[in-house]
Amino acid sequence: MTDKKPPSSSTVLSGMPIVAMAVVAGVDVVAGPGVGLLPLVSIGPAFAGLVGGWRRTAVIGAVALLLSMALGLYNGLFEESRGFASMAAVAGVTGIGIAAAVMRSRREAELASVRSIAEVAQRVLLRPVPLTAGPLQAAVSYTSAVAEARIGGDLYEVVASPHGIRVIVGDVQGKGLAAVETAAVVLGAFREAAHDEPDLVGLGERLERSVARELEGEKFVTAILAEFNPDREVVFLNYGHPAPMLVGCDGTVAFLQPPACALPLGLGAHGGEGPKPFRVDFAPGGQLLLYTDGVTEARDEDGRFYPLGERAHLLKDPDAHRALEALRADLAQYADGPPHDDAAMLLLRYHGHGEGKSVPIA
């Protein structure tokens, strides 16, 4: 025996005009002409204008007029002005409801068009990462803190360049359109420089110059750059970004801290040395998770931060996308309420361990 699904809110709202008119008619018939409920029949077309199209509103308005006429004749109200006044009220509300339905339909069409354009722009800015890049498998997850948005101030990209597979994950200070514009600047500069610059330090310096030209005041972008070489090692350049999580083929978890702290992109003019590159072995069967602070700074109802290292076992699925989705779902369940910050995750796997085999995580 299957359970019946409860009616949706749209179904309930669409039935409200008929229910309202039926209730008014029933009460009016029972109470008699002395109560004067006939003008309340206009509730029907008023509700219809809020939730339906103009044609449906006109039909319900016509039904309301017929009902008003029938009740007016039943109660003998057309012998005086009350009956005609009631019908005029119903006709007036119907006209207003039709006008409201037309304007609402136009606004909904405009909103749908704007959303469609925004989705295209978002896909251009944050393109899908390649499923494979050289010896790497890639999967990405992005959760925006802004409702109805696909992107925000976090950014990521994977580029197969003549100098190796190059990756960036970053986090723009702030939110909203200004953060999206800055993210577009960083991604545009990275996509171009990744092919031109022969070493990762030069790539980072070029990003620093691009960001410094665009940002004003104390705004900045934390970022981590990575370059995967054929000799099974990865080179990192960390601009004040959370340390990547490396999961070895034996299930060990390590957070790759830079040898020295460095300022984020955009703050180079304040002095201090740039980040120093550091190298880490990345063997077949290994996994590397690059992420933004929206992941590690998510809190539960008791205010505790998300324990990313303790959740590494969720990445055991042989399919990288399902593994990352399991981690994203766990993060959403852990967080108390809607996300307060964008959260981006980029999972990279060295797929030399062979297709179809599970990733051994303790």
Side-chain angles (χ1 to χ4, degrees):
M1 183 176 179
T2 58
D3 295 333
K4 293 183 179 180
K5 294 182 178 179
S8 63
S9 57
S10 60
T11 302
V12 173
L13 290 175
S14 63
M16 283 297 294
I18 305 300
V19 173
M21 291 190 297
V23 170
V24 171
V27 174
D28 186 82
V29 169
V30 173
V35 178
L37 295 179
L38 187 56
L40 293 181
V41 174
S42 61
I43 293 177
F47 271 131
L50 294 175
V51 299
W54 70 268
R55 291 184 178 85
R56 184 172 184 272
T57 303
V59 170
I60 291 179
V63 172
L65 284 172
L66 292 175
L67 182 61
S68 297
M69 183 182 298
L71 291 176
L73 292 173
Y74 176 78
N75 293 321
L77 298 181
F78 288 108
E79 298 175 359
E80 48 184 303
S81 61
R82 288 175 57 192
F84 297 101
S86 298
M87 291 194 65
V90 173
V93 172
T94 299
I96 294 174
I98 291 174
V102 170
M103 290 188 292
R104 181 173 49 80
S105 297
R106 289 177 179 175
R107 287 196 300 268
E108 289 175 351
E110 292 174 357
L111 180 59
S113 177
V114 169
R115 284 180 176 174
S116 177
I117 295 172
E119 288 180 0
V120 172
Q122 290 171 351
R123 286 196 297 268
V124 171
L125 178 57
L126 283 183
R127 301 178 300 199
V129 299
L131 298 179
T132 60
L136 301 178
Q137 292 177 332
V140 69
S141 169
Y142 196 111
T143 303
S144 175
V146 180
E148 302 296 335
R150 293 180 182 269
I151 61 172
D154 289 359
L155 56 99
Y156 58 83
E157 184 59 289
V158 178
V159 174
S161 77
H163 316 289
I165 308 299
R166 288 177 165 176
V167 174
I168 184 173
V169 171
D171 185 0
V172 178
Q173 179 201 22
K175 299 178 181 179
L177 290 178
V180 174
E181 291 174 359
T182 303
V185 170
V186 176
L187 286 171
F190 175 79
R191 287 164 181 163
E192 180 180 358
H195 291 277
D196 298 339
E197 296 296 334
D199 63 83
L200 202 61
V201 174
L203 172 57
E205 292 174 349
R206 189 160 164 181
L207 289 180
E208 175 64 47
R209 292 193 297 269
S210 298
V211 173
R213 285 194 300 266
E214 296 293 332
L215 298 185
E216 299 177 356
E218 300 296 323
K219 293 183 179 180
F220 57 85
V221 181
T222 69
I224 186 158
L225 308 181
E227 180 180 277
F228 296 84
N229 298 323
D231 51 359
R232 296 183 179 181
E233 71 173 7
V234 55
V235 184
F236 291 102
L237 206 60
N238 194 323
Y239 287 89
H241 198 76
M245 183 176 73
L246 177 65
V247 183
C249 58
D250 58 353
T252 57
V253 177
F255 287 90
L256 308 176
Q257 300 290 345
C261 296
L263 293 175
L265 294 169
L267 299 182
H270 293 269
E273 296 185 359
K276 302 297 182 183
F278 61 101
R279 300 173 181 270
V280 175
D281 292 332
F282 192 46
Q287 300 187 90
L288 183 66
L289 182 70
L290 308 179
Y291 55 92
T292 59
D293 59 9
V295 175
T296 51
E297 293 183 1
R299 299 172 182 260
D300 64 6
E301 58 184 7
D302 297 324
R304 294 172 296 192
F305 291 115
Y306 183 69
L308 179 59
E310 299 176 8
R311 299 300 207 269
H313 65 277
L314 296 173
L315 299 175
K316 62 184 178 181
D317 195 290
D319 183 271
H321 295 276
R322 288 199 300 264
L324 191 58
E325 174 59 25
L327 186 62
R328 188 208 63 80
D330 182 72
L331 174 65
Q333 184 178 8
Y334 182 90
D336 181 28
H340 300 290
D341 196 5
D342 300 329
M345 294 184 288
L346 177 62
L347 178 63
L348 299 166
R349 284 180 172 178
Y350 200 121
H351 62 73
H353 61 276
E355 294 291 339
K357 296 181 181 179
S358 61
V359 179
I361 297 178

